[in-house]
Amino acid sequence: MPTGEIVSTSFRGTITGNRGILDLDAQGRLGTSRWKHKHWIICNLVHPRGRYHGPRPARGWTPLFFFDEAIALAAGHRPCAYCRPKAYRAWVKAWSKAHGGASGHKEIDTALHSARVTRMRTQVRHEALLRDLPDHAFVLYRDRPHLLLNRSLYPFESGSYGTAVQSPFDSLQVTVLTPRPTLAVLAAGFEPETSSIPDS
């Protein structure tokens, strides 16, 4: 979820994410672990060699499914260099523009990790004025996650975006879910793949 929680739900994801092999019981329920390394990546549902990643790939990692890339970014992930090379190159270009100089995936993931989650496995959040945020950022508005796009807020719930809500855009302070380094990458021009948005 854009709020950082891992939930069981009926709606389908358009992409998947990898944080390593998470602890699962015989019924497939998560244990206490929420990651095994800092390289939280966003992958295609289908492996570059044509295999569907599935809920338990043979290579032994635990997929997390996301409704779209904007949600995956809010949860702290970034594009995979192997199965999404075009998106990864665009990400690195925007990261370098936003944060200065060239960076490899290890440096990027280290910076992201401290900005997305605490040691207690809770999402790192901060307050900001809505007018200062880039498109495709996720915020809490009226206690619900909303996507910011074209100066409008779209609520996300039950696997879809709702219609745009009216808000005092220029003066509204919100809780931001998307990590700070990712906000800078979005502001530098990275455009995530976003699922269908209703007409405002």
Side-chain angles (χ1 to χ4, degrees):
M1 301 296 285
T3 50
E5 296 135 324
I6 300 174
V7 300
S8 175
T9 184
S10 60
F11 62 80
R12 296 298 299 268
T14 61
I15 53 176
T16 187
N18 182 352
R19 301 180 185 179
I21 305 173
L22 305 185
D23 302 323
L24 302 175
D25 65 17
Q27 286 73 44
R29 295 172 300 197
L30 278 174
T32 58
S33 175
R34 292 297 180 269
W35 67 87
K36 291 297 185 180
H37 51 64
K38 296 179 181 179
H39 309 302
W40 295 17
I41 57 177
I42 304 168
C43 301
N44 291 330
L45 290 177
V46 178
H47 188 276
R49 294 180 181 175
R51 299 190 304 273
Y52 171 60
H53 276 137
R56 294 192 182 184
R59 293 293 300 273
W61 56 280
T62 307
L64 307 173
F65 295 94
F66 296 102
F67 182 66
D68 65 16
E69 190 170 21
I71 291 175
L73 293 179
H77 290 239
R78 53 91 179 159
C80 172
Y82 177 62
C83 69
R84 304 186 67 236
K86 184 177 179 180
Y88 178 74
R89 289 193 296 269
W91 172 270
V92 171
K93 180 179 179 181
W95 181 280
S96 297
K97 180 180 178 182
H99 299 287
S103 296
H105 70 274
K106 291 183 178 180
E107 293 81 8
I108 289 173
D109 292 341
T110 296
L112 272 176
H113 198 67
S114 62
R116 64 191 170 203
V117 68
T118 71
R119 288 186 175 183
M120 301 303 293
R121 304 190 301 277
T122 59
Q123 185 180 46
V124 175
R125 302 173 179 179
H126 68 278
E127 302 295 310
L129 290 173
L130 191 62
R131 69 187 181 206
D132 295 334
L133 298 175
D135 276 353
H136 300 106
F138 256 95
V139 303
L140 283 182
Y141 177 64
R142 295 176 178 171
D143 297 321
R144 293 174 60 193
H146 286 69
L147 176 73
L148 172 62
L149 187 63
N150 299 325
R151 293 180 63 86
S152 295
L153 286 174
Y154 295 88
F156 176 77
E157 189 173 33
S158 301
S160 65
Y161 291 106
T163 55
V165 297
Q166 299 297 318
S167 65
F169 194 94
D170 288 332
S171 61
L172 184 64
Q173 182 163 311
V174 291
T175 299
V176 185
L177 306 179
T178 306
R180 287 180 188 269
T182 301
L183 293 175
V185 171
L186 292 171
F190 181 79
E191 293 192 17
E193 296 179 7
T194 304
S195 296
S196 178
I197 303 293
D199 294 333
S200 58

